[in-house]
Amino acid sequence: MALPKVGSIGEYIREQRQQAKISLRQLAAAAGVSNPYLSQIERGLRKPSAEILNQIAKGLHISAQALYVQAGLIEDREPPSDVISAIRSDKHLSGRQRQVLIDIYESFRKEKRAEDEQTSQNAHPRHDSPQDDEPLPEDYLAALEPFAASNGNGTANQETKEG
Amino acid sequence: MALPKVGSIGEYIREQRQQAKISLRQLAAAAGVSNPYLSQIERGLRKPSAEILNQIAKGLHISAQALYVQAGLIEDREPPSDVISAIRSDKHLSGRQRQVLIDIYESFRKEKRAEDEQTSQNAHPRHDSPQDDEPLPEDYLAALEPFAASNGNGTANQETKEG
DNA sequence: CCAAAGTGCTTGCAATTGCAAACGCGCTGG
DNA sequence: CCAGCGCGTTTGCAATTGCAAGCACTTTGG
């Protein structure tokens, strides 16, 4: 997994560099990295660390965030799950309970996503979550038992202001 | 250069993990990294790559950006220099000229900064306010909120101990 | 013509990342 | 008491990062 998929970030850097009309060596100097390494990065032969990426962003006078997104390191935007944020901000739950709920919720989401992908394998171009396919551990279900018994409320009602 | 300022990121991760009441191994599994490696990261013995950082952020259900900032990988953000943006948007300059101007301007800034740091050695840990190419929607900020809030008050990080 | 300087690229190599295996420690329970 | 499980940590090791040195090519220009 060292060569192919990282291409976009390298291309992006090269585009930005050429657009700024500076040579590879100049950018390398400005970014504080070696020229051969930058060359390899631009051609997708190497996967630069976040530090290097940050330096390059500075050398290019572009947003580091944009570069991270391009590199797939920030993905795009965190999944804006109201459920998770609601769980996390619920003062009536212990840390353990929070975690259990979140894990369960996520496993459900995961299942659903797997089903959807089976039925229709259309384009999800930036989707990059390789191995997260473990079923719900018994521990969690066991932890859930007393909880579900005492709490009959099944809806995760969001109280966030919705405009 | 193996352990300069990476300590904070490790401590931060550990705090977040303990706050979520999950074990090191659980987080390691959720993040898709090995437990020994996560252990070393938390203790500041290793400097994780951006990918690993991203995975950990997901495992912790916190914003990857926040983690990058903590790791010093996003540092803060490029100073929203009007000069640079003005230079970049000036149609009367060639790409090369633009670059030269920017470089000169930056070297001046750098000099100045060096002087300032000599006179007063305090760093401004300014919170990250997203305002770049794409302003983040409030939904996202809301998702960030519990985390950002805990950074300011909830965590046992910055209690009444000042050295 | 050929030195000098520019461009990007290839090649070893030290240092680092990241992991599998295994250790010591505490707890539970047959 | 010892087997079993989970916790965090330590210890080698393969794979990768990132760099210094050097290559091939093109342009400048005395």
Side-chain angles (χ1 to χ4, degrees):
Chain A
M1 268 57 130
L3 6 129
K5 265 309 169 193
V6 275
S8 65
I9 173 68
E11 291 173 17
Y12 182 74
I13 291 175
R14 175 158 287 189
E15 280 174 20
Q16 293 297 314
R17 175 173 66 79
Q18 291 176 340
Q19 190 173 321
K21 292 279 191 299
I22 60 180
S23 75
L24 189 147
R25 281 177 137 96
Q26 276 179 311
L27 175 55
V33 305
S34 70
N35 25 80
Y37 190 45
L38 179 58
S39 168
Q40 289 167 321
I41 289 171
E42 285 191 351
R43 284 175 299 145
L45 304 181
R46 287 284 208 278
K47 185 183 57 180
S49 75
E51 273 175 301
I52 300 287
L53 233 44
N54 193 28
Q55 310 251 51
I56 292 175
K58 277 180 184 161
L60 280 173
H61 311 293
I62 65 177
S63 147
Q65 221 159 341
L67 213 47
Y68 287 134
V69 171
Q70 271 286 326
L73 296 178
I74 285 188
E75 238 183 50
D76 229 349
R77 205 141 288 179
E78 301 275 306
S81 167
D82 292 338
V83 174
I84 285 187
S85 57
I87 291 173
R88 287 196 70 82
S89 61
D90 188 332
K91 301 300 180 190
H92 301 222
L93 295 173
S94 73
R96 177 102 191 146
Q97 290 167 334
R98 256 195 286 274
Q99 195 58 37
V100 170
L101 271 183
I102 289 177
D103 278 344
I104 292 173
Y105 171 74
E106 288 214 322
S107 75
F108 285 167
R109 287 282 301 260
K110 204 173 302 171
E111 276 183 32
K112 185 63 164 46
R113 200 178 309 148
E115 292 172 3
D116 291 353
E117 282 180 3
Q118 261 202 350
T119 55
S120 70
Q121 284 186 352
N122 46 11
H124 241 192
R126 279 286 161 237
H127 188 228
D128 190 21
S129 291
Q131 80 289 14
D132 274 338
D133 219 334
E134 43 190 291
L136 204 56
E138 289 186 4
D139 295 341
Y140 292 168
L141 289 178
L144 183 64
E145 275 179 26
F147 196 69
S150 64
N151 189 353
N153 189 355
T155 48
N157 207 352
Q158 80 280 13
E159 49 200 289
T160 59
K161 57 180 167 89
E162 229 173 344
Chain B
M1 302 233 312
L3 34 101
K5 306 184 71 139
V6 273
S8 66
I9 173 67
E11 293 174 17
Y12 183 75
I13 291 175
R14 177 158 287 190
E15 281 173 20
Q16 292 298 313
R17 175 173 65 79
Q18 291 176 341
Q19 188 172 324
K21 292 281 191 298
I22 60 178
S23 76
L24 190 148
R25 281 177 137 99
Q26 275 180 312
L27 175 55
V33 305
S34 70
N35 26 80
Y37 191 44
L38 179 57
S39 168
Q40 288 167 321
I41 289 171
E42 286 191 351
R43 283 175 299 147
L45 304 181
R46 287 284 209 280
K47 185 182 58 179
S49 76
E51 273 175 302
I52 301 288
L53 233 44
N54 193 29
Q55 309 250 51
I56 292 176
K58 277 180 186 161
L60 280 172
H61 311 294
I62 65 178
S63 145
Q65 272 105 332
L67 213 46
Y68 288 136
V69 170
Q70 269 286 326
L73 296 178
I74 283 188
E75 224 171 76
D76 236 341
R77 183 170 318 274
E78 293 282 299
S81 165
D82 293 338
V83 175
I84 285 187
S85 58
I87 291 174
R88 289 194 71 84
S89 60
D90 188 332
K91 301 300 180 191
H92 301 207
L93 295 172
S94 73
R96 180 130 194 114
Q97 290 166 334
R98 259 195 284 273
Q99 194 57 39
V100 170
L101 270 183
I102 290 178
D103 278 344
I104 292 174
Y105 171 75
E106 287 218 321
S107 72
F108 286 167
R109 286 285 300 262
K110 202 174 300 174
E111 279 182 30
K112 186 63 165 46
R113 200 177 309 148
E115 292 171 5
D116 291 353
E117 281 182 4
Q118 267 201 346
T119 56
S120 71
Q121 282 186 352
N122 53 359
H124 273 201
R126 61 183 72 156
H127 55 67
D128 87 356
S129 56
Q131 215 162 11
D132 226 42
D133 299 336
E134 336 170 288
L136 297 174
E138 287 197 18
D139 291 333
Y140 186 62
L141 288 180
L144 209 71
E145 196 178 16
F147 164 73
S150 69
N151 194 8
N153 57 37
T155 14
N157 190 6
Q158 40 182 245
E159 295 177 13
T160 59
K161 69 134 190 175
E162 54 271 323

